[in-house]
Amino acid sequence: MKTFTKNMLKKSAETSVFKRGLSLLEKMNDRSTDLLRILTYHRIDYHDSHPDHHPGMISATPEQFAQQMKMIAQKYQVISLQDVLDAIHNQKQLPAKSLLITFDDAYQDFAKYAWPVLKEYSLPATVFVPTGFPDQPDASFWWDRLYAALINVDRSKQLETVHHLHPLSTKNNLSEIYWMARKWIKSLPHQEAMERVNQICEKLDGPQLENIVMGWGELRNLAREGVTLVPHTRTHPLLNQLDLKSAMDEILGSLNDLKEKIGETLPVFCYPAGGVSDELVRELERSEIQMAFTTQRGLNCIQKDSPYLLRRINVGGNTTLSILRAQLLSQSRLLNRLW
Ligand SMILES: [Zn+2]
């Protein structure tokens, strides 16, 4: 039912009637100074640039991103992460139509494609950096390694998971198998999950991937140009699959890495892949971290909602300009739950 509703909404979002309705709603959009929209991007790139890396991490092509930023610059007030901290902790008011733009994982294409567009429109941006990855040539995210192993596989092989043996004989079922394996990996305790990924990649003879996370030199240049860099753990584990002490070591370790390597950061954090628990939120409230971002979809009422569970709107390959415009409407708080 949810998929059916989503597909219906996707189709209708491209009709002229829907677009006229959008324009009307945008014009009457509220003047609330309590509502904060936060966008999540991962990669801005073309699939062909790095065909072995998982294309699902591409939020938009450079052209689509430029189109999205043009619309946002015209219709919204893009604020900085410091503005959000000031609103939450120093009672400063947000402007109406506030929007924060965030990028997870610090992929190199941020510097190549996203930042030039953001600079053109003078839009501030925040990048969440997994600090164990910059300048580590052999490091790659596990989801990219898993994808690379599957698409380069000798098709006579099989993939063994906890439930089944999956023949890897047709290209069509690779995507399905990738998502099934990914879901299974995410359900395991972190250590075991990483061991399983290594076993799969070894068994399938997966290639050594190029590390496409920005290096510290590039990150320092961006910080000098005004990009806000904040922690995203060191090794990007799912924190709800780690014990509390290790989770806090990952969080505070990445905060310290940024202080040491960049010199300037903010006490703000983003949960990798949205992995969070009540216990972790309570621990963060007692730490120097003042605000944390989830992958939970939605808009935020900053005076009411927990600053440790901020919701975001993920921009993905299927996010057309109309869908993005609809999700940003203040009236879309209900609609956001459906995507
Ligand atoms: Zn991430």
Side-chain angles (χ1 to χ4, degrees):
M1 183 60 194
K2 202 173 169 183
T3 313
F4 175 76
T5 315
K6 260 167 90 170
N7 288 339
M8 284 288 291
L9 286 167
K10 256 188 207 168
K11 266 190 195 155
S12 50
E14 300 314 313
T15 61
S16 55
V17 175
F18 187 90
K19 287 179 186 171
R20 274 203 299 277
L22 266 180
S23 300
L24 270 176
L25 287 169
E26 280 168 346
K27 276 183 200 135
M28 60 183 275
N29 212 358
D30 78 325
R31 309 300 304 160
S32 163
T33 53
D34 184 36
L35 197 65
L36 174 63
R37 302 150 177 86
I38 307 170
L39 290 182
T40 306
Y41 286 94
H42 286 86
R43 289 175 55 198
I44 307 300
D45 210 344
Y46 305 102
H47 177 37
D48 290 351
S49 309
H50 299 286
D52 281 349
H53 288 72
H54 184 227
M57 302 309 285
I58 298 180
S59 305
T61 63
E63 289 76 19
Q64 288 166 333
F65 181 72
Q67 209 187 12
Q68 290 167 3
M69 291 305 108
K70 186 179 175 193
M71 178 276 286
I72 280 164
Q74 284 167 352
K75 297 180 190 290
Y76 289 93
Q77 189 70 36
V78 180
I79 57 171
S80 69
L81 190 60
Q82 184 65 59
D83 293 330
V84 181
L85 265 179
D86 286 344
I88 290 178
H89 292 287
N90 300 326
Q91 277 74 52
K92 289 204 180 150
Q93 222 175 39
L94 285 180
K97 300 198 173 188
S98 288
L99 186 148
L100 180 75
I101 304 174
T102 68
F103 292 80
D104 288 12
D105 305 338
Y107 280 105
Q108 288 166 352
D109 45 65
F110 173 81
K112 187 174 180 184
Y113 292 122
W115 183 230
V117 175
L118 292 159
K119 269 199 294 195
E120 188 188 331
Y121 291 107
S122 302
L123 304 178
T126 297
V127 176
F128 293 109
V129 186
T131 58
F133 288 81
D135 294 334
Q136 300 298 319
D138 294 336
S140 286
F141 296 117
W142 68 264
W143 54 86
D144 283 329
R145 288 198 296 127
L146 183 66
Y147 179 80
L150 277 170
I151 58 153
N152 289 294
V153 75
D154 164 357
R155 296 191 192 284
S156 63
K157 292 196 177 177
Q158 300 202 330
L159 174 66
E160 190 179 346
T161 68
V162 75
H163 301 301
H164 305 288
L165 273 178
H166 294 273
L168 299 169
S169 51
T170 65
K171 200 159 188 175
N172 287 346
N173 71 349
L174 281 186
S175 161
E176 201 182 303
I177 287 174
Y178 172 80
W179 285 106
M180 175 220 52
R182 188 177 156 125
K183 193 174 167 195
W184 170 61
I185 296 290
K186 286 170 91 169
S187 72
L188 301 172
H190 179 62
Q191 192 67 29
E192 188 189 342
M194 293 306 98
E195 280 163 18
R196 292 294 192 155
V197 172
N198 290 342
Q199 279 166 12
I200 293 172
C201 293
E202 226 168 83
K203 222 172 185 175
L204 301 184
D205 215 7
Q208 174 67 39
L209 271 186
E210 182 194 350
N211 181 1
I212 59 168
V213 171
M214 291 183 277
W216 287 114
E218 198 160 32
L219 289 165
R220 268 191 290 274
N221 286 341
L222 290 170
R224 268 195 292 271
E225 291 189 18
V227 176
T228 307
L229 305 176
V230 270
H232 193 36
T233 71
R234 281 182 159 146
T235 66
H236 206 283
L238 263 182
L239 296 177
N240 55 340
Q241 297 289 6
L242 263 188
D243 64 86
L244 191 58
K245 184 185 174 308
S246 306
M248 289 307 290
D249 286 350
E250 280 276 353
I251 296 169
L252 299 177
S254 62
L255 180 67
N256 288 338
D257 289 344
L258 283 168
K259 283 179 185 168
E260 196 185 294
K261 301 279 190 185
I262 303 295
E264 210 178 308
T265 185
L266 290 173
V268 173
F269 173 69
C270 173
Y271 306 101
V276 58
S277 62
D278 294 346
E279 194 187 26
L280 184 58
V281 169
R282 281 195 296 275
E283 196 65 19
L284 279 180
E285 285 168 350
R286 289 195 285 266
S287 77
E288 64 184 290
I289 299 290
Q290 294 182 18
M291 203 160 80
F293 293 74
T294 68
T295 52
Q296 177 96 38
R297 190 173 289 278
L299 309 182
N300 302 280
C301 285
I302 58 153
Q303 302 307 333
K304 258 199 327 229
D305 298 336
S306 165
Y308 293 91
L309 290 169
L310 291 169
R311 283 169 293 205
R312 299 188 289 170
I313 296 166
N314 185 56
V315 182
N318 291 327
T319 311
T320 63
L321 199 60
S322 301
I323 288 176
L324 183 58
R325 283 172 63 194
Q327 288 184 293
L328 291 171
L329 293 171
S330 57
Q331 297 87 342
S332 76
R333 290 198 80 185
L334 175 71
L335 196 67
N336 274 329
R337 292 185 201 144
L338 296 169
W339 301 124

